[in-house]
Amino acid sequence: MAFSADELRVLRRALATALNPAPLHDDDVQDCLRLAESVDESVAEAGRLRAFLLADLVRYRQALPGSLTGYLQLLQDALAAGYDPGADDLAALRALRHHPAAGALLARCQVLAERSVRARLARVAQAQAPARAVTAPRARLLALPGGRAAGDGGSGPGAPGKPAPKPPAPGERPVPKPSEVFPPRRRPVPPPPPEERVAG
Protein backbone atom coordinates (compact mmCIF):
# COMPACT_ATOMS: atom_id res chain seq x y z
CA MET A 1 0.00 0.00 0.00
CA ALA A 2 1.47 3.35 -1.07
CA PHE A 3 0.54 6.78 0.30
CA SER A 4 0.71 10.05 -1.57
CA ALA A 5 2.57 13.05 -0.15
CA ASP A 6 -0.68 14.66 1.07
CA GLU A 7 -1.81 11.40 2.68
CA LEU A 8 1.55 11.07 4.43
CA ARG A 9 1.17 14.57 5.87
CA VAL A 10 -2.30 13.68 7.17
CA LEU A 11 -0.97 10.46 8.63
CA ARG A 12 1.91 12.30 10.31
CA ARG A 13 -0.51 14.81 11.90
CA ALA A 14 -2.75 11.99 13.09
CA LEU A 15 0.18 10.16 14.69
CA ALA A 16 1.40 13.36 16.35
CA THR A 17 -2.08 13.98 17.75
CA ALA A 18 -2.25 10.40 19.03
CA LEU A 19 1.07 10.85 20.85
CA ASN A 20 0.28 14.34 22.15
CA PRO A 21 -3.51 14.69 22.40
CA ALA A 22 -4.71 18.10 21.32
CA PRO A 23 -7.91 19.46 19.79
CA LEU A 24 -8.05 19.08 15.99
CA HIS A 25 -9.38 21.60 13.50
CA ASP A 26 -12.35 20.58 11.41
CA ASP A 27 -10.17 20.42 8.31
CA ASP A 28 -7.77 18.01 10.00
CA VAL A 29 -10.66 15.81 11.12
CA GLN A 30 -12.04 15.68 7.57
CA ASP A 31 -8.58 14.82 6.20
CA CYS A 32 -8.25 11.95 8.69
CA LEU A 33 -11.70 10.64 7.78
CA ARG A 34 -10.88 10.74 4.06
CA LEU A 35 -7.59 8.93 4.71
CA ALA A 36 -9.40 6.24 6.71
CA GLU A 37 -11.88 5.75 3.87
CA SER A 38 -9.04 5.45 1.37
CA VAL A 39 -7.32 2.85 3.51
CA ASP A 40 -10.55 0.87 3.86
CA GLU A 41 -11.05 0.93 0.08
CA SER A 42 -7.47 -0.21 -0.49
CA VAL A 43 -7.88 -3.08 1.96
CA ALA A 44 -11.15 -4.16 0.31
CA GLU A 45 -9.56 -3.97 -3.15
CA ALA A 46 -6.59 -6.02 -1.94
CA GLY A 47 -9.01 -8.65 -0.65
CA ARG A 48 -10.80 -8.80 -4.00
CA LEU A 49 -7.51 -9.12 -5.89
CA ARG A 50 -6.41 -11.90 -3.55
CA ALA A 51 -9.69 -13.76 -4.13
CA PHE A 52 -9.27 -13.47 -7.92
CA LEU A 53 -5.65 -14.63 -7.66
CA LEU A 54 -6.57 -17.71 -5.62
CA ALA A 55 -9.42 -18.56 -8.00
CA ASP A 56 -7.01 -18.38 -10.95
CA LEU A 57 -4.54 -20.51 -9.02
CA VAL A 58 -7.18 -23.23 -8.57
CA ARG A 59 -8.08 -23.14 -12.27
CA TYR A 60 -4.44 -23.38 -13.38
CA ARG A 61 -3.78 -26.19 -10.90
CA GLN A 62 -6.71 -28.18 -12.26
CA ALA A 63 -5.35 -27.73 -15.80
CA LEU A 64 -1.90 -29.15 -15.00
CA PRO A 65 0.44 -30.22 -16.51
CA GLY A 66 -0.49 -28.15 -19.55
CA SER A 67 -0.63 -24.93 -17.50
CA LEU A 68 2.70 -25.50 -15.73
CA THR A 69 4.28 -22.12 -16.47
CA GLY A 70 1.20 -20.09 -15.57
CA TYR A 71 0.58 -22.14 -12.43
CA LEU A 72 4.10 -21.65 -11.12
CA GLN A 73 3.91 -17.90 -11.73
CA LEU A 74 0.52 -17.59 -10.05
CA LEU A 75 1.71 -19.65 -7.09
CA GLN A 76 4.74 -17.40 -6.65
CA ASP A 77 2.48 -14.32 -6.74
CA ALA A 78 0.14 -15.90 -4.19
CA LEU A 79 3.03 -16.76 -1.87
CA ALA A 80 4.28 -13.18 -2.11
CA ALA A 81 0.79 -12.01 -1.08
CA GLY A 82 0.88 -14.17 2.07
CA TYR A 83 -0.81 -17.33 0.75
CA ASP A 84 -0.20 -20.53 2.71
CA PRO A 85 0.23 -23.46 0.28
CA GLY A 86 -2.26 -26.25 0.83
CA ALA A 87 -2.14 -29.99 0.38
CA ASP A 88 -3.32 -29.67 -3.24
CA ASP A 89 -0.43 -27.35 -4.07
CA LEU A 90 2.11 -29.67 -2.47
CA ALA A 91 0.69 -32.68 -4.31
CA ALA A 92 0.78 -30.82 -7.65
CA LEU A 93 4.36 -29.69 -7.11
CA ARG A 94 5.46 -33.21 -6.14
CA ALA A 95 4.02 -34.49 -9.42
CA LEU A 96 6.00 -31.79 -11.26
CA ARG A 97 9.24 -32.04 -9.31
CA HIS A 98 11.15 -33.09 -12.45
CA HIS A 99 10.81 -29.45 -13.54
CA PRO A 100 13.62 -27.37 -11.91
CA ALA A 101 11.36 -24.40 -11.08
CA ALA A 102 8.69 -26.69 -9.66
CA GLY A 103 11.27 -28.53 -7.51
CA ALA A 104 12.58 -25.27 -6.05
CA LEU A 105 9.06 -24.03 -5.42
CA LEU A 106 8.17 -27.34 -3.76
CA ALA A 107 11.00 -26.93 -1.24
CA ARG A 108 9.83 -23.39 -0.47
CA CYS A 109 6.19 -24.44 -0.10
CA GLN A 110 7.08 -27.31 2.24
CA VAL A 111 8.86 -24.89 4.57
CA LEU A 112 5.93 -22.45 4.49
CA ALA A 113 3.36 -25.22 5.06
CA GLU A 114 5.29 -26.60 8.04
CA ARG A 115 5.61 -23.09 9.50
CA SER A 116 1.86 -22.54 9.05
CA VAL A 117 1.00 -25.82 10.79
CA ARG A 118 3.28 -24.97 13.73
CA ALA A 119 1.70 -21.51 14.03
CA ARG A 120 -1.80 -23.06 14.06
CA LEU A 121 -0.81 -25.57 16.73
CA ALA A 122 0.73 -22.79 18.83
CA ARG A 123 -2.48 -20.76 18.58
CA VAL A 124 -4.56 -23.78 19.61
CA ALA A 125 -2.26 -24.47 22.58
CA GLN A 126 -2.39 -20.80 23.59
CA ALA A 127 -6.18 -20.80 23.42
CA GLN A 128 -6.39 -23.95 25.56
CA ALA A 129 -3.85 -22.74 28.14
CA PRO A 130 -6.25 -20.40 30.02
CA ALA A 131 -8.84 -23.19 30.26
CA ARG A 132 -6.27 -25.48 31.85
CA ALA A 133 -5.15 -22.71 34.22
CA VAL A 134 -8.72 -22.03 35.37
CA THR A 135 -9.34 -25.69 36.18
CA ALA A 136 -8.13 -26.12 39.73
CA PRO A 137 -6.24 -29.30 40.58
CA ARG A 138 -8.14 -31.85 42.64
CA ALA A 139 -7.63 -31.25 46.34
CA ARG A 140 -6.03 -34.01 48.36
CA LEU A 141 -8.18 -35.72 50.96
CA LEU A 142 -6.90 -35.12 54.47
CA ALA A 143 -7.63 -37.26 57.52
CA LEU A 144 -9.82 -35.55 60.10
CA PRO A 145 -8.95 -35.77 63.79
CA GLY A 146 -10.88 -38.39 65.75
CA GLY A 147 -10.98 -40.99 62.97
CA ARG A 148 -9.93 -44.61 63.10
CA ALA A 149 -6.80 -43.76 65.02
CA ALA A 150 -8.93 -42.23 67.78
CA GLY A 151 -10.43 -45.47 69.01
CA ASP A 152 -12.91 -48.05 67.82
CA GLY A 153 -12.49 -47.87 64.04
CA GLY A 154 -14.36 -44.60 63.55
CA SER A 155 -17.77 -46.11 64.40
CA GLY A 156 -19.85 -46.42 67.55
CA PRO A 157 -20.88 -43.91 70.18
CA GLY A 158 -17.46 -42.22 70.28
CA ALA A 159 -17.24 -41.64 66.54
CA PRO A 160 -17.09 -38.00 65.41
CA GLY A 161 -20.37 -36.66 64.14
CA LYS A 162 -22.43 -39.21 66.12
CA PRO A 163 -23.19 -38.08 69.70
CA ALA A 164 -23.40 -40.77 72.35
CA PRO A 165 -26.99 -41.80 73.25
CA LYS A 166 -28.27 -40.25 76.49
CA PRO A 167 -29.11 -42.68 79.27
CA PRO A 168 -32.83 -42.78 80.16
CA ALA A 169 -33.92 -40.62 83.07
CA PRO A 170 -35.10 -42.39 86.28
CA GLY A 171 -38.65 -43.65 85.81
CA GLU A 172 -38.58 -43.05 82.05
CA ARG A 173 -39.23 -45.97 79.78
CA PRO A 174 -36.32 -46.61 77.40
CA VAL A 175 -36.95 -46.36 73.69
CA PRO A 176 -37.32 -49.88 72.28
CA LYS A 177 -35.00 -51.09 69.58
CA PRO A 178 -36.38 -51.85 66.09
CA SER A 179 -35.69 -55.55 66.61
CA GLU A 180 -37.91 -55.51 69.71
CA VAL A 181 -40.81 -53.77 67.97
CA PHE A 182 -40.55 -55.82 64.77
CA PRO A 183 -39.28 -59.32 65.65
CA PRO A 184 -37.67 -61.25 62.84
CA ARG A 185 -40.03 -63.37 60.78
CA ARG A 186 -39.63 -67.10 61.02
CA ARG A 187 -39.20 -69.02 57.84
CA PRO A 188 -42.09 -71.46 57.09
CA VAL A 189 -41.19 -75.14 57.50
CA PRO A 190 -41.50 -76.96 54.16
CA PRO A 191 -43.92 -79.95 54.11
CA PRO A 192 -42.35 -83.39 54.25
CA PRO A 193 -41.78 -85.28 51.02
CA PRO A 194 -44.63 -87.54 49.76
CA GLU A 195 -42.73 -90.70 50.62
CA GLU A 196 -42.53 -89.83 54.31
CA ARG A 197 -46.27 -88.98 54.46
CA VAL A 198 -47.18 -92.37 52.98
CA ALA A 199 -44.89 -94.21 55.35
CA GLY A 200 -46.40 -92.43 58.38
Side-chain angles (χ1 to χ4, degrees):
M1 184 180 296
F3 293 99
S4 66
D6 292 336
E7 290 175 338
L8 285 177
R9 280 194 291 270
V10 174
L11 184 60
R12 190 179 296 113
R13 285 200 303 269
L15 291 176
T17 304
L19 293 175
N20 299 310
L24 287 174
H25 299 291
D26 292 340
D27 294 339
D28 294 336
V29 173
Q30 294 300 324
D31 291 340
C32 290
L33 291 176
R34 280 193 292 269
L35 179 59
E37 291 176 359
S38 300
V39 171
D40 290 341
E41 289 177 3
S42 299
V43 170
E45 184 65 23
R48 286 193 292 269
L49 290 176
R50 177 184 173 87
F52 287 140
L53 175 61
L54 296 182
D56 284 342
L57 183 64
V58 171
R59 283 194 293 270
Y60 274 75
R61 186 173 60 228
Q62 292 174 349
L64 287 172
S67 59
L68 173 62
T69 305
Y71 172 71
L72 295 180
Q73 183 61 45
L74 283 173
L75 183 56
Q76 289 177 353
D77 294 342
L79 294 178
Y83 170 69
D84 288 330
D88 294 337
D89 298 306
L90 295 177
L93 291 174
R94 288 191 187 98
L96 302 169
R97 68 175 66 192
H98 61 276
H99 192 279
L105 201 53
L106 173 61
R108 179 183 174 190
C109 287
Q110 285 175 336
V111 172
L112 293 176
E114 183 178 356
R115 188 180 305 167
S116 176
V117 169
R118 288 182 179 177
R120 269 198 306 270
L121 292 176
R123 284 195 298 269
V124 170
Q126 187 176 5
Q128 292 177 349
R132 285 197 296 265
V134 169
T135 305
R138 181 178 294 179
R140 296 180 60 189
L141 296 178
L142 301 176
L144 297 176
R148 289 181 179 269
D152 50 352
S155 62
K162 291 185 178 181
K166 296 180 181 179
E172 183 181 354
R173 185 176 178 185
V175 178
K177 297 180 181 178
S179 59
E180 297 173 353
V181 178
F182 304 104
R185 295 176 58 186
R186 295 183 181 180
R187 294 184 179 179
V189 179
E195 295 79 3
E196 294 183 4
R197 281 187 289 185
V198 172

Coordinates of all heavy atoms in Angstrom, one line a residue, residues 95-156:
A95 N 4.2 -33.8 -8.1 CA 4.0 -34.5 -9.4 C 4.9 -33.8 -10.5 O 5.2 -34.4 -11.5 CB 2.5 -34.5 -9.8
L96 N 5.2 -32.5 -10.3 CA 6.0 -31.8 -11.3 C 7.4 -31.6 -10.8 O 8.1 -30.7 -11.4 CB 5.3 -30.4 -11.5 CG 3.9 -30.5 -12.0 CD1 3.3 -29.1 -11.9 CD2 3.8 -31.0 -13.4
R97 N 7.9 -32.3 -9.9 CA 9.2 -32.0 -9.3 C 10.4 -32.2 -10.3 O 11.5 -31.8 -10.1 CB 9.5 -32.9 -8.1 CG 9.6 -34.4 -8.4 CD 10.0 -35.2 -7.1 NE 8.9 -35.1 -6.2 CZ 9.0 -35.5 -4.9 NH1 10.2 -36.0 -4.4 NH2 8.0 -35.5 -4.1
H98 N 10.1 -32.9 -11.4 CA 11.2 -33.1 -12.4 C 11.5 -31.7 -13.1 O 12.6 -31.6 -13.6 CB 10.7 -34.1 -13.5 CG 9.5 -33.6 -14.3 ND1 8.2 -33.9 -13.7 CD2 9.3 -33.0 -15.4 CE1 7.3 -33.4 -14.6 NE2 7.9 -32.8 -15.6
H99 N 10.6 -30.8 -13.0 CA 10.8 -29.5 -13.5 C 11.6 -28.7 -12.5 O 11.3 -28.6 -11.3 CB 9.5 -28.7 -13.8 CG 9.6 -27.5 -14.6 ND1 10.0 -26.3 -14.1 CD2 9.4 -27.3 -16.0 CE1 10.0 -25.4 -15.0 NE2 9.7 -26.0 -16.2
P100 N 12.8 -28.0 -12.9 CA 13.6 -27.4 -11.9 C 12.9 -26.3 -11.1 O 13.0 -26.2 -9.9 CB 14.7 -26.8 -12.8 CG 14.7 -27.6 -14.0 CD 13.3 -28.0 -14.3
A101 N 12.1 -25.5 -11.8 CA 11.4 -24.4 -11.1 C 10.3 -25.0 -10.1 O 10.1 -24.5 -9.0 CB 10.7 -23.5 -12.1
A102 N 9.7 -26.1 -10.5 CA 8.7 -26.7 -9.7 C 9.4 -27.3 -8.4 O 8.8 -27.3 -7.3 CB 7.9 -27.7 -10.4
G103 N 10.6 -27.9 -8.6 CA 11.3 -28.5 -7.5 C 11.7 -27.5 -6.5 O 11.6 -27.7 -5.3
A104 N 12.2 -26.3 -7.0 CA 12.6 -25.3 -6.1 C 11.4 -24.7 -5.3 O 11.4 -24.4 -4.1 CB 13.3 -24.2 -6.8
L105 N 10.3 -24.6 -6.0 CA 9.1 -24.0 -5.4 C 8.5 -25.0 -4.4 O 7.9 -24.6 -3.4 CB 8.0 -23.7 -6.5 CG 6.9 -22.7 -6.1 CD1 7.5 -21.4 -5.6 CD2 6.1 -22.4 -7.4
L106 N 8.6 -26.3 -4.7 CA 8.2 -27.3 -3.8 C 8.9 -27.2 -2.4 O 8.3 -27.3 -1.4 CB 8.4 -28.7 -4.4 CG 8.1 -29.9 -3.4 CD1 6.6 -29.9 -3.0 CD2 8.4 -31.2 -4.1
A107 N 10.2 -27.1 -2.5 CA 11.0 -26.9 -1.2 C 10.5 -25.7 -0.4 O 10.4 -25.8 0.8 CB 12.5 -26.8 -1.6
R108 N 10.3 -24.6 -1.1 CA 9.8 -23.4 -0.5 C 8.4 -23.6 0.1 O 8.2 -23.2 1.3 CB 9.8 -22.2 -1.5 CG 9.3 -20.9 -0.9 CD 9.3 -19.9 -2.0 NE 8.7 -18.6 -1.5 CZ 8.3 -17.6 -2.2 NH1 8.5 -17.7 -3.6 NH2 7.8 -16.5 -1.7
C109 N 7.5 -24.2 -0.6 CA 6.2 -24.4 -0.1 C 6.2 -25.4 1.1 O 5.3 -25.2 2.0 CB 5.3 -25.0 -1.2 SG 4.9 -23.7 -2.5
Q110 N 7.0 -26.4 1.1 CA 7.1 -27.3 2.2 C 7.5 -26.6 3.5 O 6.9 -26.8 4.6 CB 8.0 -28.5 1.9 CG 7.5 -29.5 1.0 CD 8.5 -30.5 0.6 OE1 9.7 -30.3 0.7 NE2 8.0 -31.7 0.2
V111 N 8.4 -25.7 3.4 CA 8.9 -24.9 4.6 C 7.7 -24.0 5.1 O 7.4 -23.9 6.3 CB 10.1 -24.0 4.2 CG1 10.4 -23.1 5.4 CG2 11.3 -24.9 3.9
L112 N 7.0 -23.3 4.1 CA 5.9 -22.5 4.5 C 4.8 -23.2 5.1 O 4.1 -22.8 6.1 CB 5.4 -21.7 3.3 CG 6.4 -20.6 2.7 CD1 5.9 -20.0 1.4 CD2 6.7 -19.6 3.7
A113 N 4.5 -24.4 4.5 CA 3.4 -25.2 5.1 C 3.7 -25.7 6.5 O 2.8 -25.7 7.4 CB 3.1 -26.4 4.1
E114 N 4.9 -26.1 6.7 CA 5.3 -26.6 8.0 C 5.2 -25.4 9.0 O 4.8 -25.6 10.2 CB 6.7 -27.2 8.0 CG 7.2 -27.7 9.3 CD 8.6 -28.4 9.2 OE1 9.1 -28.4 8.1 OE2 9.1 -28.8 10.3
R115 N 5.7 -24.3 8.6 CA 5.6 -23.1 9.5 C 4.2 -22.7 9.8 O 3.8 -22.4 11.0 CB 6.3 -21.9 8.8 CG 6.5 -20.7 9.7 CD 7.2 -19.6 8.9 NE 8.4 -20.1 8.4 CZ 9.1 -19.4 7.4 NH1 8.7 -18.3 7.0 NH2 10.3 -19.9 7.0
S116 N 3.3 -22.9 8.8 CA 1.9 -22.5 9.1 C 1.2 -23.5 10.0 O 0.4 -23.1 10.9 CB 1.1 -22.6 7.7 OG -0.3 -22.4 7.9
V117 N 1.6 -24.8 9.9 CA 1.0 -25.8 10.8 C 1.5 -25.6 12.2 O 0.7 -25.6 13.2 CB 1.4 -27.2 10.3 CG1 1.1 -28.3 11.4 CG2 0.7 -27.6 9.0
R118 N 2.8 -25.2 12.4 CA 3.3 -25.0 13.7 C 2.6 -23.7 14.3 O 2.3 -23.7 15.5 CB 4.8 -24.8 13.7 CG 5.6 -26.0 13.4 CD 7.1 -25.8 13.4 NE 7.8 -27.0 13.2 CZ 9.1 -27.0 13.1 NH1 9.8 -25.9 13.2 NH2 9.8 -28.2 12.9
A119 N 2.4 -22.7 13.5 CA 1.7 -21.5 14.0 C 0.3 -21.8 14.5 O -0.2 -21.3 15.5 CB 1.7 -20.4 13.0
R120 N -0.4 -22.7 13.7 CA -1.8 -23.1 14.1 C -1.8 -23.9 15.4 O -2.7 -23.6 16.2 CB -2.4 -23.9 12.9 CG -3.2 -23.0 11.9 CD -4.2 -23.9 11.1 NE -3.5 -25.0 10.5 CZ -3.0 -25.0 9.3 NH1 -3.0 -23.8 8.6 NH2 -2.4 -26.0 8.7
L121 N -0.9 -24.8 15.5 CA -0.8 -25.6 16.7 C -0.5 -24.7 17.9 O -1.0 -24.9 19.0 CB 0.2 -26.7 16.6 CG -0.1 -27.8 15.6 CD1 1.1 -28.8 15.5 CD2 -1.4 -28.5 16.0
A122 N 0.4 -23.7 17.7 CA 0.7 -22.8 18.8 C -0.5 -22.0 19.2 O -0.7 -21.7 20.4 CB 1.9 -21.9 18.4
R123 N -1.3 -21.5 18.2 CA -2.5 -20.8 18.6 C -3.5 -21.6 19.3 O -4.1 -21.1 20.3 CB -3.1 -20.2 17.3 CG -2.4 -19.0 16.7 CD -3.2 -18.3 15.7 NE -3.6 -19.1 14.6 CZ -2.9 -19.2 13.5 NH1 -1.7 -18.5 13.3 NH2 -3.2 -20.0 12.5
V124 N -3.6 -22.9 18.9 CA -4.6 -23.8 19.6 C -4.1 -24.0 21.0 O -4.9 -24.0 22.0 CB -4.7 -25.1 18.8 CG1 -5.5 -26.1 19.7 CG2 -5.4 -24.9 17.5
A125 N -2.8 -24.2 21.2 CA -2.3 -24.5 22.6 C -2.4 -23.2 23.4 O -2.7 -23.3 24.6 CB -0.8 -24.9 22.5
Q126 N -2.2 -22.0 22.8 CA -2.4 -20.8 23.6 C -3.8 -20.6 24.0 O -4.1 -20.1 25.1 CB -1.9 -19.6 22.8 CG -1.8 -18.3 23.5 CD -1.2 -17.2 22.7 OE1 -0.9 -17.4 21.5 NE2 -1.1 -16.0 23.3
A127 N -4.8 -21.0 23.1 CA -6.2 -20.8 23.4 C -6.6 -21.8 24.5 O -7.5 -21.5 25.3 CB -7.0 -21.0 22.2
Q128 N -6.0 -23.0 24.6 CA -6.4 -23.9 25.6 C -5.7 -23.7 26.9 O -6.1 -24.3 27.9 CB -6.1 -25.4 25.1 CG -7.0 -25.8 23.9 CD -6.6 -27.1 23.4 OE1 -5.5 -27.7 23.7 NE2 -7.4 -27.7 22.5
A129 N -4.6 -22.9 26.9 CA -3.8 -22.7 28.1 C -4.7 -22.1 29.2 O -4.7 -22.5 30.4 CB -2.6 -21.9 27.9
P130 N -5.5 -21.0 28.9 CA -6.3 -20.4 30.0 C -7.3 -21.4 30.6 O -7.5 -21.4 31.8 CB -6.9 -19.2 29.3 CG -6.1 -18.9 28.2 CD -5.5 -20.2 27.7
A131 N -7.9 -22.2 29.8 CA -8.8 -23.2 30.3 C -8.2 -24.2 31.2 O -8.8 -24.5 32.3 CB -9.5 -23.9 29.1
R132 N -7.0 -24.6 30.9 CA -6.3 -25.5 31.9 C -5.9 -24.8 33.1 O -5.9 -25.3 34.2 CB -5.0 -26.1 31.2 CG -5.3 -27.1 30.2 CD -4.1 -28.0 29.9 NE -3.1 -27.2 29.2 CZ -2.9 -27.1 27.9 NH1 -3.7 -27.7 27.1 NH2 -1.9 -26.3 27.4
A133 N -5.5 -23.5 33.0 CA -5.2 -22.7 34.2 C -6.3 -22.5 35.1 O -6.2 -22.4 36.3 CB -4.5 -21.4 33.8
V134 N -7.5 -22.3 34.6 CA -8.7 -22.0 35.4 C -9.1 -23.3 36.1 O -9.6 -23.2 37.3 CB -9.9 -21.5 34.5 CG1 -11.2 -21.5 35.2 CG2 -9.5 -20.1 33.9
T135 N -9.0 -24.4 35.5 CA -9.3 -25.7 36.2 C -8.4 -25.9 37.4 O -7.2 -26.1 37.2 CB -9.3 -26.9 35.2 OG1 -10.1 -26.6 34.1 CG2 -9.7 -28.1 35.8
A136 N -8.9 -25.9 38.5 CA -8.1 -26.1 39.7 C -7.8 -27.6 39.9 O -8.6 -28.5 39.6 CB -8.9 -25.6 41.0
P137 N -6.6 -27.9 40.4 CA -6.2 -29.3 40.6 C -7.1 -29.9 41.7 O -7.5 -29.2 42.6 CB -4.7 -29.3 41.0 CG -4.5 -27.9 41.5 CD -5.5 -27.0 40.7
R138 N -7.3 -31.2 41.6 CA -8.1 -31.9 42.6 C -7.5 -31.8 44.0 O -6.3 -32.1 44.1 CB -8.4 -33.3 42.2 CG -9.2 -34.1 43.2 CD -9.5 -35.5 42.7 NE -10.3 -35.5 41.5 CZ -10.6 -36.6 40.9 NH1 -10.2 -37.8 41.3 NH2 -11.3 -36.5 39.8
A139 N -8.2 -31.4 45.0 CA -7.6 -31.3 46.3 C -7.4 -32.6 46.9 O -8.2 -33.6 46.7 CB -8.6 -30.4 47.2
R140 N -6.3 -32.7 47.7 CA -6.0 -34.0 48.4 C -6.9 -34.2 49.6 O -7.3 -33.2 50.3 CB -4.6 -34.0 48.8 CG -3.6 -34.0 47.7 CD -2.2 -34.0 48.1 NE -1.9 -35.2 48.9 CZ -0.8 -35.4 49.6 NH1 0.1 -34.5 49.7 NH2 -0.6 -36.6 50.3
L141 N -7.3 -35.4 49.8 CA -8.2 -35.7 51.0 C -7.3 -35.8 52.2 O -6.3 -36.5 52.2 CB -8.9 -37.0 50.7 CG -9.9 -37.0 49.6 CD1 -10.5 -38.4 49.4 CD2 -11.0 -36.0 49.8
L142 N -7.7 -35.1 53.2 CA -6.9 -35.1 54.5 C -7.7 -35.8 55.6 O -8.9 -35.7 55.6 CB -6.6 -33.7 54.9 CG -5.8 -32.8 53.9 CD1 -5.7 -31.4 54.4 CD2 -4.5 -33.4 53.6
A143 N -7.0 -36.5 56.4 CA -7.6 -37.3 57.5 C -8.1 -36.2 58.6 O -7.4 -35.3 58.9 CB -6.7 -38.3 58.1
L144 N -9.3 -36.4 59.1 CA -9.8 -35.6 60.1 C -9.5 -36.1 61.5 O -9.4 -37.3 61.7 CB -11.3 -35.4 60.0 CG -11.8 -34.8 58.7 CD1 -13.4 -34.8 58.6 CD2 -11.3 -33.4 58.6
P145 N -9.3 -35.2 62.4 CA -9.0 -35.8 63.8 C -10.1 -36.5 64.4 O -11.3 -36.2 64.1 CB -8.7 -34.5 64.6 CG -9.3 -33.4 63.8 CD -9.2 -33.8 62.4
G146 N -9.8 -37.6 65.1 CA -10.9 -38.4 65.7 C -11.4 -39.5 64.9 O -12.5 -40.0 65.1
G147 N -10.6 -39.9 63.9 CA -11.0 -41.0 63.0 C -10.7 -42.3 63.5 O -10.8 -42.6 64.7
R148 N -10.2 -43.2 62.7 CA -9.9 -44.6 63.1 C -8.8 -44.6 64.2 O -8.9 -45.5 65.1 CB -9.5 -45.5 61.9 CG -10.6 -45.8 61.0 CD -10.2 -46.6 59.8 NE -11.2 -46.9 58.9 CZ -12.0 -48.0 59.0 NH1 -11.8 -48.8 60.0 NH2 -13.0 -48.2 58.2
A149 N -7.9 -43.7 64.0 CA -6.8 -43.8 65.0 C -7.3 -43.3 66.4 O -6.6 -43.5 67.4 CB -5.7 -42.8 64.6
A150 N -8.5 -42.7 66.5 CA -8.9 -42.2 67.8 C -9.5 -43.3 68.7 O -9.8 -43.1 69.8 CB -9.9 -41.1 67.6
G151 N -9.8 -44.5 68.1 CA -10.4 -45.5 69.0 C -11.0 -46.7 68.3 O -10.2 -47.4 67.7
D152 N -12.3 -46.8 68.3 CA -12.9 -48.0 67.8 C -13.3 -48.0 66.4 O -14.4 -48.2 66.0 CB -14.1 -48.4 68.7 CG -15.1 -47.2 68.7 OD1 -14.7 -46.1 68.3 OD2 -16.2 -47.3 69.3
G153 N -12.3 -47.7 65.5 CA -12.5 -47.9 64.0 C -13.4 -46.8 63.5 O -13.9 -47.0 62.4
G154 N -13.6 -45.7 64.1 CA -14.4 -44.6 63.6 C -15.8 -44.8 63.6 O -16.6 -44.1 63.0
S155 N -16.3 -45.8 64.3 CA -17.8 -46.1 64.4 C -18.1 -46.3 65.8 O -17.3 -46.6 66.7 CB -18.1 -47.3 63.6 OG -17.5 -48.5 64.1
G156 N -19.4 -46.2 66.2 CA -19.8 -46.4 67.6 C -20.2 -45.1 68.2 O -20.2 -44.1 67.6

